[in-house]
Amino acid sequence: MKKKKRIIEELARKYRDGAIPPCRHFGECGGCLFQDISYENQLALKEEYLRAELGGVCDVKAVRASRPFGYRGRMDMVTAFGRSGLRKRGSYRRVVDIESCDIMQEKSNTAFMAIKPLIAEIEDYDYLAHAGYLRYVVLRQGMYTGELMLNFVVASHENRLAGLIDALPEGVDSVSLLLSDGRADVSFGEPFETVRGGTIEERLGDLRFSIAPNSFFQSNASIALPMYEDIRRMVRGRTLDLYSGVGSISLFVAGAADSVAGVEVNPEGVAMAERNREMNTIENARFVRADVLDYLRECDERFDTVILDPPRSGMHPAAAALLSRLAPERIIYMSCNPSTFRDDLGALAGYRVEAFEAFDMFPQTPHIETLALLLRR
Ligand SMILES: C[S@@+](CC[C@H](N)C(=O)[O-])C[C@H]1O[C@@H](n2cnc3c(N)ncnc32)[C@H](O)[C@@H]1O
């Protein structure tokens, strides 16, 4: 991780070109690191970084551009020390009071600005002393539906938000209170009160997806859509989608596959995937709640294609070995972390990289999303 940080810092120095950051919080806020680099140069920087990381194993070409601003489908605003916003650059202990965020979608920005004075009335949570009430305000927005969700992550099982909730602006489709009473600083929790809605929808192509407070959904739908279209072109036959979340990839590609089985550890994700399957009337997909490692240990089915979209930590090494034993013809690997992707490729020695592409899922930040098609040697 340290090596990656050093390379990124060196590349940022090389590509920094005096672009004028549009956001008033740039420099202080830890959310964006690249607003003083033109978007063209950000893409060149990421391409060079990927060459350094993956040059020997993948044919790295230009990184596919996205919307440079206003793209995020989820922002987690921390409420602590009398402020609500994002962590200060380089400091976990300090919070920058955010007035507006240029990578957040416009409707979310407007809603956040409207509720900020109301948030200030509520006791926040000191995550260093572990005392207080309101820990996070999470804003989630469907890019193609405009539907907006607000989740209030609180430290005790009580609703102290009545005044705020009464004054919520128009156009907020879902409002939930989530309980997070542990010491871990997390922006999700057990939903214990649904004030409005409970879910929002996003649309990708012809499909609709329901999203619940804790379920994962790709952060930038404008680039997830072309990635999913690529995945659909790569899929053949009986397909297994590992780390399937709310089933978005499984359902998106189902029309190109004989059948799809999605595997996901989060029960809420599996329930939403099942609901999404029904909502889109897809007959040839099914979802299993399981840890990928346990599923692969038990699996005695044959699959032609396996799709992988693991969390940043990548696959468990034992899971890569079991997958090799399952021996699908093709593996489609979507990754948000080039380092763990490279490690996993090393463990999948029986496969060669047939195609590779990178996508700028997270403009203004060092993060990159990649997609690879691996074929059995
Ligand atoms: C990067 S997300 C991908 C979600 C989905 N493919 C999508 O596009 O929306 C990773 C998902 O893997 C799930 N996950 C993490 N570790 C897992 C494990 N060991 N077994 C099964 N699922 C896991 C997470 O809950 C999350 O939904």
Side-chain angles (χ1 to χ4, degrees):
M1 206 58 196
K2 283 219 172 82
K3 182 175 155 233
K4 176 181 176 181
K5 194 163 171 247
R6 190 175 41 74
I7 298 175
I8 295 279
E9 279 169 2
E10 268 169 28
L11 289 173
R13 272 195 292 280
K14 173 174 170 186
Y15 283 97
R16 192 161 283 128
D17 55 4
I20 302 197
C23 178
R24 74 189 85 162
H25 301 297
F26 181 73
E28 196 193 3
C29 171
C32 293
L33 294 185
F34 289 169
Q35 285 193 23
D36 55 353
I37 302 175
S38 65
Y39 191 49
E40 197 185 3
N41 269 10
Q42 288 182 36
L43 295 172
L45 180 164
K46 290 184 182 185
E47 185 181 333
E48 188 168 338
Y49 167 68
L50 279 178
R51 283 227 163 81
E53 191 76 71
L54 297 171
V57 273
C58 296
D59 180 15
V60 177
K61 300 200 182 77
V63 176
R64 189 157 163 176
S66 162
R67 290 184 186 186
F69 292 102
Y71 63 84
R72 277 201 72 100
R74 174 178 178 137
M75 289 299 290
D76 299 357
M77 297 296 185
V78 60
T79 47
F81 320 126
R83 301 197 169 96
S84 55
L86 298 168
R87 294 237 162 54
K88 194 173 157 64
R89 188 186 284 196
S91 171
Y92 171 72
R93 305 172 73 88
R94 298 184 54 194
V95 175
V96 179
D97 205 44
I98 294 289
E99 290 297 327
S100 80
C101 168
D102 283 62
I103 58 173
M104 182 155 81
Q105 295 181 60
E106 199 181 323
K107 187 176 171 186
S108 303
N109 255 316
T110 309
F112 186 57
M113 287 313 101
I115 62 171
K116 252 186 95 76
L118 306 165
I119 295 172
E121 302 287 304
I122 294 159
E123 185 195 8
D124 63 17
Y125 182 85
D126 180 333
Y127 54 83
L128 301 175
H130 296 287
Y133 177 65
L134 181 62
R135 302 180 82 146
Y136 279 92
V137 177
V138 178
L139 297 106
R140 304 191 72 175
Q141 186 181 333
M143 184 179 277
Y144 295 111
T145 58
E147 289 189 17
L148 182 61
M149 169 185 280
L150 292 181
N151 299 325
F152 296 95
V153 182
V154 298
S156 54
H157 196 289
E158 55 185 325
N159 181 350
R160 293 203 229 151
L161 304 173
L164 192 165
I165 286 164
D166 289 344
L168 279 178
E170 287 290 298
V172 181
D173 301 282
S174 171
V175 180
S176 302
L177 274 78
L178 314 186
L179 176 65
S180 169
D181 55 3
R183 287 175 82 86
D185 177 36
V186 290
S187 56
F188 50 85
E190 186 62 34
F192 68 93
E193 188 170 330
T194 303
V195 177
R196 208 181 278 179
T199 58
I200 54 167
E201 267 186 37
E202 177 59 298
R203 203 171 38 239
L204 288 181
D206 293 337
L207 280 92
R208 292 151 60 213
F209 296 99
S210 192
I211 302 169
N214 290 313
S215 37
F216 175 90
F217 202 83
Q218 301 291 346
S219 311
N220 179 350
S222 74
I223 201 84
L225 180 57
M227 288 191 88
Y228 284 13
E229 285 166 345
D230 279 357
I231 297 174
R232 185 161 58 191
R233 280 189 283 274
M234 294 171 181
V235 157
R236 306 277 184 280
R238 291 165 58 88
T239 298
L240 177 64
D241 178 19
L242 297 177
Y243 312 93
S244 54
V246 295
S248 51
I249 299 180
S250 305
L251 298 171
F252 198 89
V253 306
D258 292 347
S259 61
V260 185
V263 179
E264 164 63 44
V265 77
N266 174 0
E268 187 191 274
V270 177
M272 296 312 290
E274 201 44 57
R275 178 163 160 178
N276 288 328
R277 188 190 67 72
E278 280 169 23
M279 203 159 76
N280 292 286
T281 55
I282 291 171
E283 303 287 339
N284 65 339
R286 67 194 154 93
F287 296 95
V288 182
R289 199 207 77 75
D291 184 286
V292 160
L293 190 56
D294 296 337
Y295 179 86
L296 288 174
R297 275 197 187 113
E298 301 288 313
C299 182
D300 54 6
E301 273 183 74
R302 301 273 318 156
F303 291 99
D304 305 296
T305 303
V306 174
I307 300 167
L308 301 172
D309 183 14
R312 293 188 67 73
S313 50
M315 293 183 79
H316 191 287
L322 289 165
L323 181 57
S324 298
R325 215 175 64 195
L326 198 66
E329 191 64 36
R330 43 184 62 212
I331 296 176
I332 301 166
Y333 194 140
M334 178 167 175
S335 165
C336 59
N337 186 345
S339 319
T340 51
F341 166 64
R342 189 201 48 223
D343 294 345
D344 289 344
L345 268 186
L348 294 167
Y351 289 81
R352 65 178 173 81
V353 182
E354 169 71 8
F356 175 81
E357 205 182 345
F359 296 79
D360 197 19
M361 179 82 88
F362 311 98
Q364 317 306 330
T365 81
H367 300 295
I368 317 172
E369 196 82 16
T370 61
L371 181 64
L373 172 63
L374 318 181
L375 296 184
R376 209 172 64 212
R377 290 181 200 276

